[in-house]
């Protein structure tokens, strides 16, 4: 890797949309981040915040209606959004792998786990059948599957949830990818198995040194696993910092809400946990305002409901998109936004007027045709 390409993965201003019969859903709306070897970035947020779509955009495994509409995803400095399907299929599995939330739906129920592991190994490494089988057994041993020689002959439904997730991890790491994406890998597991799987992933990261993108809604998991955190809301990163800073000094009201809703060890057992009212809105035909405005308890009327805040750096490595933080960078962002509001209002009024004219014209044409 050349010095200027110290980053394995660079996501730059990524926009991903789904084109439905009801219109464009902007699932990911201009996010940027970078990954270096051996480090873990946690992407946190509720369902509907765009975390998984970010992962699928990197892997380029979006549903038929989905498309990257702007921005780039680069692997070692090369923009992969222009790659052919053949280049991408080499990239997936050998350079980047993904562990999905539910191993039961990710593993094929009609093939043995050994067959599926060996197929992945043969496809991406060129090993022959015997070598692939040996590697499959080696990987199952590494991820703590007991009696791997007999397990490889079993079907996914014959294994427990924890065992299936271990098989998925073995499959994701069997070709030693540079980047591992874990999309809520422990959500479908019970708490004790969750802890074992997280420990396993940490120790495998030490052995294989991949960059890890860890997607979760669970802040307890983030504290255990991640070096840095990006908090996502409505397809955007609203706060990012190293893990310690996010917990010690959260700035965005959404981040504060997420942290406040987690029970703390030694906390007052009588105290009610904080909850964020409402849900993430559907990213379609949204007004021009802060995406969190309708749920925010500290929103500034006349500002937050008129314009979206930009993500600004408030201290080295700590970025926030909110008008209500009490620091110089955010005050400057408020000032910039306030200056822009009159022009935005003028554009909005002009657009509404043009739409009203079009509508009236449409009605006139319709009545005109009917009259004939
Ligand atoms: S910009 Fe305004 S509405 Fe958005 S999170 Fe900050 S205070 Fe709340």
């Amino acid at each position: 890797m050349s010095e200027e390409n110290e980053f394995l993965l660079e996501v730059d201003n990524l926009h991903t949309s789904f084109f439905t019969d009801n219109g464009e859903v902007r699932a990911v709306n201009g996010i940027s981040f970078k990954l270096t070897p051996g480090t873990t970035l946690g992407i946190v947020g509720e369902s509907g915040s765009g975390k998984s779509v970010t992962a699928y955009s990197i892997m380029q495994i979006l549903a038929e209606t989905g498309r990257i509409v702007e921005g780039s995803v680069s692997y070692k400095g090369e923009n992969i959004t222009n790659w052919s399907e053949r280049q991408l299929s080499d990239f997936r599995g050998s350079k980047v792998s993904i562990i999905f939330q539910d191993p039961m739906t990710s593993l094929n129920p009609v093939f043995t786990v050994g067959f599926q592991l060996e197929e992945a190994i043969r496809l991406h490494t060129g090993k022959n059948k015997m070598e692939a089988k040996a590697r499959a057994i080696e990987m199952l041993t590494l991820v703590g599957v007991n009696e791997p020689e007999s397990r490889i002959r079993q079907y996914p439904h014959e294994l427990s949830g924890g065992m299936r997730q271990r098989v998925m991890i073995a499959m994701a790491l069997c070709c030693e990818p540079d980047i591992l994406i874990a999309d809520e890998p422990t959500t479908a597991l019970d708490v004790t198995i969750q802890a074992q799987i997280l420990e396993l992933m940490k120790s495998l990261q030490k052995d294989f040194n991949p960059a890890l993108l860890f997607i979760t809604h669970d802040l307890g998991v983030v504290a255990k696993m991640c070096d840095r955190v990006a908090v996502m809301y409505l397809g955007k990163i609203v706060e990012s910092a190293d893990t310690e800073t996010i917990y010690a000094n959260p700035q965005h009201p959404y981040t504060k809400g997420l942290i406040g809703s987690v029970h703390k060890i030694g906390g007052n057992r009588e105290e009610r946990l904080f909850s964020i009212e409402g849900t993430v809105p559907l990213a379609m035909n949204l007004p021009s305002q802060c995406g969190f405005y309708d749920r925010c308890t500290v929103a500034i009327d006349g500002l937050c409901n008129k314009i979206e805040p930009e993500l600004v750096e408030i201290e080295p490595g700590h970025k926030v998109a909110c008008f209500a933080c009490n620091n110089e960078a955010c005050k400057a962002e408020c000032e910039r936004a306030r200056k822009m509001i009159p022009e935005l209002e003028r554009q909005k009024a002009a657009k509404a007027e043009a739409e009203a004219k079009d509508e009236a014209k449409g009605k006139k044409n319709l009545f005109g045709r009917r009259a004939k």
Side-chain angles (χ1 to χ4, degrees), residues 184-204:
E184 307 255 13
T186 56
T187 305
L189 305 174
D190 67 52
V191 178
T192 48
I193 306 296
Q194 266 188 24
Q196 290 173 17
I197 295 290
L198 292 177
E199 278 307 321
L200 171 68
M201 289 186 70
K202 275 194 101 167
S203 83
L204 290 173

Side-chain angles (χ1 to χ4, degrees), residues 252-253 290 292-293 296 298-300 304 309 321-324:
H252 196 281
C290 170
F292 194 58
Y293 175 74
C296 185
V298 292
I300 307 162
C304 304
C322 177
F323 294 126

Side-chain angles (χ1 to χ4, degrees), residues 97-151:
S97 274
I98 186 164
I99 304 167
F100 293 102
Q101 184 180 122
D102 185 357
M104 196 59 196
T105 50
S106 320
L107 289 166
N108 192 326
V110 300
F111 294 110
T112 61
V113 294
F115 178 87
Q116 294 180 63
L117 263 168
E118 287 164 34
E119 191 190 34
I121 294 164
R122 289 176 69 188
L123 188 69
H124 293 293
T125 64
K127 287 188 193 299
N128 65 32
K129 209 170 176 336
M130 291 295 287
E131 289 166 338
K133 185 178 176 184
R135 177 71 173 152
I137 292 172
E138 185 193 350
M139 284 307 298
L140 288 179
T141 311
L142 206 64
V143 298
V145 171
N146 59 352
E147 301 171 25
E149 289 85 356
S150 57
R151 294 285 187 192

Side-chain angles (χ1 to χ4, degrees), residues 73-367:
V73 177
S74 303
Y75 169 70
K76 292 186 179 176
E78 263 191 74
N79 184 357
I80 65 163
T81 53
N82 305 323
W83 281 6
S84 66
E85 195 42 52
R86 196 195 166 94
Q87 285 174 300
L88 285 172
S89 76
D90 284 346
F91 174 66
R92 296 180 201 119
S94 61
K95 307 287 184 250
V96 59
S97 274
I98 186 164
I99 304 167
F100 293 102
Q101 184 180 122
D102 185 357
M104 196 59 196
T105 50
S106 320
L107 289 166
N108 192 326
V110 300
F111 294 110
T112 61
V113 294
F115 178 87
Q116 294 180 63
L117 263 168
E118 287 164 34
E119 191 190 34
I121 294 164
R122 289 176 69 188
L123 188 69
H124 293 293
T125 64
K127 287 188 193 299
N128 65 32
K129 209 170 176 336
M130 291 295 287
E131 289 166 338
K133 185 178 176 184
R135 177 71 173 152
I137 292 172
E138 185 193 350
M139 284 307 298
L140 288 179
T141 311
L142 206 64
V143 298
V145 171
N146 59 352
E147 301 171 25
E149 289 85 356
S150 57
R151 294 285 187 192
I152 57 168
R153 291 192 294 277
Q154 290 188 304
Y155 289 87
H157 73 271
E158 295 177 277
L159 304 178
S160 67
M163 278 296 165
R164 282 195 291 265
Q165 199 56 301
R166 284 173 195 266
V167 171
M168 279 304 299
I169 294 171
M171 198 177 283
L173 288 174
C174 64
C175 303
E176 300 187 22
D178 292 333
I179 304 157
L180 181 62
I181 301 175
D183 185 8
E184 307 255 13
T186 56
T187 305
L189 305 174
D190 67 52
V191 178
T192 48
I193 306 296
Q194 266 188 24
Q196 290 173 17
I197 295 290
L198 292 177
E199 278 307 321
L200 171 68
M201 289 186 70
K202 275 194 101 167
S203 83
L204 290 173
Q205 192 184 23
K206 276 191 198 133
D207 295 345
F208 290 88
N209 202 38
L212 182 55
L213 185 64
F214 205 96
I215 293 170
T216 182
H217 64 272
D218 186 336
L219 281 156
V221 170
V222 169
K224 192 176 170 70
M225 296 295 292
C226 305
D227 304 303
R228 287 190 61 78
V229 184
V231 180
M232 272 190 87
Y233 189 80
L234 207 55
K236 296 195 168 200
I237 293 176
V238 293
E239 184 160 8
S240 71
D242 61 79
T243 308
E244 214 172 289
T245 305
I246 283 282
Y247 284 88
N249 185 26
Q251 290 294 312
H252 196 281
Y254 182 57
T255 316
K256 289 180 185 173
L258 289 176
I259 292 172
S261 60
V262 177
H263 188 66
K264 291 166 193 67
I265 295 171
N268 182 356
R269 292 169 71 180
E270 305 297 317
E271 206 178 296
R272 285 181 72 88
L273 287 177
F274 180 78
S275 73
I276 306 170
E277 297 294 326
T279 51
V280 184
L282 188 63
M284 192 190 274
N285 303 325
L286 290 170
S288 139
Q289 62 180 31
C290 170
F292 194 58
Y293 175 74
D294 293 333
R295 305 172 74 188
C296 185
T297 52
V298 292
I300 307 162
D301 280 329
L303 182 60
C304 304
N305 56 335
K306 299 282 180 194
I307 187 168
E308 263 187 290
E310 296 273 329
L311 195 63
V312 293
E313 191 161 45
I314 58 165
E315 55 182 327
H318 187 180
K319 293 183 178 176
V320 187
C322 177
F323 294 126
C325 309
N326 192 20
N327 60 64
E328 290 311 312
C330 285
K331 280 182 197 154
E333 172 57 8
C334 284
E335 232 170 86
R336 181 201 67 86
R338 281 192 201 281
K339 279 186 193 150
M340 285 183 70
I341 289 174
E343 174 58 16
L344 287 176
E345 295 282 284
R346 196 196 56 73
Q347 285 175 7
K348 216 159 89 181
K351 195 177 165 205
E353 198 182 300
E355 278 171 4
K357 269 190 194 158
D358 281 352
E359 203 180 323
K361 208 166 143 190
K363 273 185 192 160
K364 207 171 150 192
N365 288 344
L366 188 68
F367 290 132

